[in-house]
Amino acid sequence: MCGIVAYIGKREAYPILIKGLKRLEYRGYDSAGVALLNGGLNIFKTKGKVSDLEALTEGKHLTSNLGMGHTRWATHGEPNNVNSHPHVSQNGNLAIIHNGIIENYATIKEELINRGHHFESETDTEVLIHLIEEIQKASNKELDEAVRIALHEVVGAYAIVIISKNDPEKLIGARKGSPMVVGIGEEGEYFIASDASPIIEYTKDVTYLKDSEIAYINKGKLTVKTIDNIEMTPEIQKLEMNLEAIEKGGYEHFMLKEIFEQPKSIGDSLRGRFDPVTGILAMRSLKEYEHKIKNLKRIIIVGCGTSWHAGLVGEYLFEDIARIPVEVEYASEFRYRNPIINEDDLVIAISQSGETADTLAAIELAKEKGATIFGLCNVVGSSIPRSSHAGAYTHAGPEIGVASTKAFTAQVSVLVLWALGFADIRGRLSKSELSKIMAELESIPAKVEKTLACESLTKELAKQFYQSRNFLYLGRGYGFPVALEGALKLKEISYIHAEGYPAAEMKHGPIALIDEEMPVVVIATKSANYEKVMSNIQEVKARKGKVIAIVTEGDTKVSAMADHVIEIPETSDYLEPLVATIPLQLLSYYIALERGCNVDQPRNLAKSVTVE
Ligand code: G6P
């Protein structure tokens, strides 16, 4: 949800901002803009992508050591030039970029209009910078203080950066509910960004601002204060991310790179977490919360999008292996439906970004009601791990393609570990059973590698089916969340309508849609539901649907019925989602390519949804 980057120091700001915006473009790409301080306040902004901004600035005077840039995912106001950030105050002295939503902007706007303010855009952001100007004017306050007072008046979420024409050595950043990291470079230079990707090649020293904190960078010095004016000591951390991880490395798209990274990312998520000699799962969450896990009555899993699908796999795993009742909830529903939660509950919040607004709010609600929270996130240092009591990282590395791929398989991998660990603690699993499943889990990276060889087949299938208007994805048991995830991937990047369904539920509706035009992707591996799924395939075939089946290597029965088959290596039911998802990711990728879609930046979507 919007990417922000800012620089102050001795280098040229513009190239740092443009490069940074390109790295942040996964967060939104409706419009882009920069503000540079060079004598005056120079603002360039346009509807479209960062490349459109570059075209706009060609040949312009861009020399400056202080500036900020923004890439937008529109919330208030359609994506057009005027609504693009940065926005300026009425007197033109102050400029702001913003990620988030100011919920009470309409009331503030009305008051400001009564005081003579005129607004150019429809955005909530412009209201905030006018408010700061008004506070400065009305009470003769310094900018630092005016920002602080203004932030007390706003309701909502924000990560903002402000620069002032009259303060060429000042950069102010603040956050509440939206992420913000400050990079500390050489000789008094500083960077501010939504995540570390724009900063990584200049410095490894960063500090993550906490909610309701303001970073004042003035004359080469950083001061962090709360919005209640209490000075904080910034915690400086070393970035572990490397540059290679956030570049395409020869692949045409990040999504393809990330699909192909899965043998490694799954391996990385498992590494060091199991000792085959002692049969012990070495995870801090298991050790520190052993007593809690032993006694808990229920697990509630919350997440959004693909993370919610991983949560569904989690439900099957925890119930199957550890025999603990599980509920899986969309975080956005959970937070508003007055759920019954108590101290014996464990809430597992799953999120790639660790910043999804609804998931964060669900955590806060569950915490208030006394539940224990485990976070399962990919982005180290993000908000969800910090709001959770304990948890685990997925170690999948940065995921930049908007459609989530390697984060999903990494999440499922850690959920398997937790399900095994919980079962172990609760005496539901013998050491030998645990070791057997772990051995199988450790063979998954190699099986995923093997599955990736279906790439050329998915390319051919894409050529055949890319013009279909609808797709149906069917699965049973562990194949059901896989079907949901396959359908979501197709929708997200190719804009083809697709539905994931439990194979047997098809009879209660979707079957009416099946005709010779309808491709039906069926997860038909040799699982506990194999025979049942075969009956469902027959039902599709009887209505002339085109079946693309994901089958276990060497399968002959399904192959005899289906129009096309993609083989995957055999694995246990528990681990099937880790392998069966791979061909579906590739299929959606190649269908989207055939349709000429922008795979890494699908329309209307954003990687990190920091608004509710
Ligand atoms: C967005 C992304 C999805 C992601 C979902 C949840 O919709 O486009 O890929 O699954 O948010 O994000 P999270 O970071 O919480 O996993």
Side-chain angles (χ1 to χ4, degrees):
M1 278 316 86
C2 301
I4 62 183
V5 55
Y7 175 77
I8 187 166
K10 294 204 167 67
R11 303 179 208 234
E12 277 301 327
Y14 180 77
I16 296 173
L17 302 180
I18 287 292
K19 210 180 210 183
L21 287 180
K22 285 187 179 160
R23 300 228 173 104
L24 292 171
E25 222 172 4
Y26 73 89
R27 301 178 66 88
Y29 30 81
D30 292 336
S31 64
V34 287
L36 299 166
L37 209 63
N38 42 17
L41 197 52
N42 284 306
I43 293 186
F44 304 95
K45 57 186 193 174
T46 178
K47 178 182 171 184
K49 302 213 184 320
V50 179
S51 54
D52 297 307
L53 176 65
E54 276 186 291
L56 177 80
T57 53
E58 225 177 280
K60 301 273 167 37
H61 175 57
L62 302 168
T63 302
S64 167
N65 304 120
L66 169 57
M68 60 189 188
H70 186 267
T71 176
R72 178 169 187 244
W73 186 85
T75 57
H76 290 70
E78 65 169 278
N80 59 25
N81 293 347
V82 177
N83 288 335
S84 309
H85 297 215
H87 290 282
V88 290
S89 55
Q90 179 128 316
N91 59 16
N93 285 346
L94 305 175
I96 186 170
I97 51 175
H98 169 215
N99 164 30
I101 293 181
I102 308 298
E103 287 169 12
N104 57 341
Y105 84 103
T107 327
I108 302 174
K109 190 171 183 175
E110 213 179 293
E111 276 174 33
L112 289 170
I113 289 173
N114 291 339
R115 289 171 185 238
H117 283 254
H118 300 285
F119 292 92
E120 291 188 357
S121 76
E122 300 155 277
T123 63
D124 48 344
T125 309
E126 193 186 5
V127 174
L128 179 54
I129 198 69
H130 278 236
L131 175 66
I132 293 168
E133 175 191 5
E134 184 61 29
I135 293 171
Q136 259 194 310
K137 210 166 63 185
S139 46
N140 207 11
K141 296 279 183 206
E142 288 292 320
L143 178 60
D144 293 10
E145 186 59 1
V147 169
R148 196 182 69 74
I149 296 170
L151 293 180
H152 262 288
E153 287 191 29
V154 299
V155 177
Y158 54 79
I160 53 166
V161 181
I162 291 167
I163 61 176
S164 161
K165 196 162 140 183
N166 302 328
D167 280 305
E169 292 185 82
K170 185 185 288 267
L171 193 59
I172 301 178
R175 72 154 273 181
K176 185 179 168 211
S178 296
M180 177 166 274
V181 54
V182 180
I184 301 132
E186 297 160 2
E187 300 175 48
E189 72 173 349
Y190 290 91
F191 305 78
I192 296 183
S194 300
D195 71 30
S197 63
I199 300 178
I200 182 79
E201 66 208 83
Y202 309 105
T203 177
K204 297 249 179 218
D205 294 328
V206 297
T207 179
Y208 289 88
L209 278 201
K210 298 194 181 74
D211 266 349
S212 303
E213 282 185 351
I214 309 175
Y216 297 106
I217 296 158
N218 200 12
K219 299 197 169 86
K221 190 171 172 288
L222 167 72
T223 312
V224 176
K225 289 186 177 175
T226 66
I227 65 166
D228 295 320
N229 216 12
I230 300 166
E231 189 161 342
M232 308 299 285
T233 312
E235 248 176 68
I236 312 292
Q237 303 183 14
K238 284 266 175 230
L239 283 178
E240 281 174 15
M241 186 197 272
N242 62 32
L243 201 54
E244 219 173 59
I246 54 169
E247 288 179 338
K248 281 192 205 148
Y251 285 90
E252 199 181 339
H253 294 100
F254 281 111
M255 183 180 177
L256 190 62
K257 175 186 174 227
E258 287 156 8
I259 291 173
F260 274 84
E261 274 174 353
Q262 288 175 106
K264 180 173 182 304
S265 51
I266 294 173
D268 288 347
S269 295
L270 301 178
R271 184 157 311 116
R273 287 178 160 166
F274 177 68
D275 181 343
V277 179
T278 56
I280 289 174
L281 280 155
M283 295 173 85
R284 249 174 71 190
S285 46
L286 295 176
K287 201 164 168 228
E288 288 175 8
Y289 283 79
E290 186 171 344
H291 180 72
K292 178 96 212 168
I293 292 166
K294 201 172 252 160
N295 297 303
L296 62 91
K297 302 265 184 304
R298 180 174 66 150
I299 298 173
I300 301 169
I301 302 180
V302 293
C304 303
T306 291
S307 296
W308 183 80
H309 293 159
L312 273 189
V313 180
E315 175 183 20
Y316 291 20
L317 289 166
F318 282 113
E319 294 208 342
D320 225 0
I321 303 176
R323 307 302 296 150
I324 307 170
V326 181
E327 286 165 30
V328 188
E329 300 245 16
Y330 288 112
S332 55
E333 286 299 311
F334 179 79
R335 62 180 289 198
Y336 286 121
R337 67 165 189 81
N338 195 15
I340 299 168
I341 313 161
N342 59 51
E343 283 152 19
D344 295 327
D345 291 333
L346 172 72
V347 171
I348 300 182
I350 307 180
S351 172
Q352 186 287 129
S353 62
E355 299 292 347
T356 301
D358 282 320
T359 311
L360 260 168
I363 291 179
E364 291 312 322
L365 175 74
K367 268 206 303 204
E368 264 168 40
K369 302 203 180 226
T372 301
I373 318 291
F374 277 14
L376 175 53
C377 298
N378 194 39
V379 177
V380 176
S382 53
S383 302
I384 291 175
R386 281 190 274 121
S387 312
S388 305
H389 296 112
Y393 282 114
T394 41
H395 301 309
E399 189 182 66
I400 293 166
V402 167
S404 186
T405 52
K406 64 174 179 171
F408 173 77
T409 47
Q411 286 163 347
V412 171
S413 303
V414 177
L415 287 167
V416 176
L417 294 178
W418 267 342
L420 292 172
F422 282 31
D424 186 28
I425 289 171
R426 292 165 73 102
R428 286 280 178 181
L429 202 65
S430 69
K431 284 282 177 215
S432 70
E433 282 169 308
L434 192 152
S435 295
K436 199 170 145 224
I437 302 172
M438 272 312 301
E440 181 58 24
L441 183 57
E442 280 168 349
S443 76
I444 291 293
K447 291 186 177 175
V448 169
E449 189 74 63
K450 204 169 169 200
T451 307
L452 288 166
C454 73
E455 183 187 19
S456 51
L457 179 54
T458 57
K459 254 188 217 174
E460 278 170 37
L461 290 171
K463 286 200 171 74
Q464 209 167 321
F465 289 104
Y466 77 98
Q467 283 171 322
S468 301
R469 292 164 58 86
N470 300 289
F471 262 75
L472 202 56
Y473 286 72
L474 303 176
R476 297 178 85 121
Y478 288 92
F480 168 50
V482 175
L484 288 177
E485 178 58 10
L488 179 63
K489 287 290 88 83
L490 190 70
K491 269 185 280 212
E492 284 177 315
I493 59 169
S494 74
Y495 320 140
I496 296 175
H497 170 246
E499 281 193 59
Y501 244 77
E505 263 304 295
M506 173 189 66
K507 286 193 279 298
H508 303 286
I511 200 162
L513 304 172
I514 296 176
D515 60 16
E516 58 279 7
E517 303 282 300
M518 176 70 103
V520 184
V521 179
V522 188
I523 320 305
T525 49
K526 284 197 181 128
S527 65
N529 297 305
Y530 180 59
E531 304 288 337
K532 306 265 178 228
V533 173
M534 274 201 288
S535 311
N536 300 131
I537 293 178
Q538 296 286 17
E539 290 157 8
V540 173
K541 285 310 305 167
R543 282 144 190 101
K544 300 196 169 55
K546 297 278 175 294
V547 172
I548 303 168
I550 310 299
V551 300
T552 307
E553 260 175 339
D555 179 282
T556 50
K557 288 189 190 164
V558 175
S559 309
M561 287 186 255
D563 298 272
H564 306 277
V565 292
I566 303 177
E567 291 196 344
I568 63 170
E570 186 164 8
T571 185
S572 75
D573 285 14
Y574 305 136
L575 309 182
E576 183 188 289
L578 293 169
V579 189
T581 309
I582 310 295
L584 307 191
Q585 295 169 343
L586 285 167
L587 185 63
S588 58
Y589 173 79
Y590 282 109
I591 289 178
L593 274 198
E594 285 295 328
R595 290 168 69 88
C597 299
N598 185 339
V599 171
D600 282 334
Q601 295 171 347
R603 71 181 180 207
N604 304 340
L605 298 179
K607 182 83 187 144
S608 173
V609 182
T610 53
V611 293
E612 64 171 281

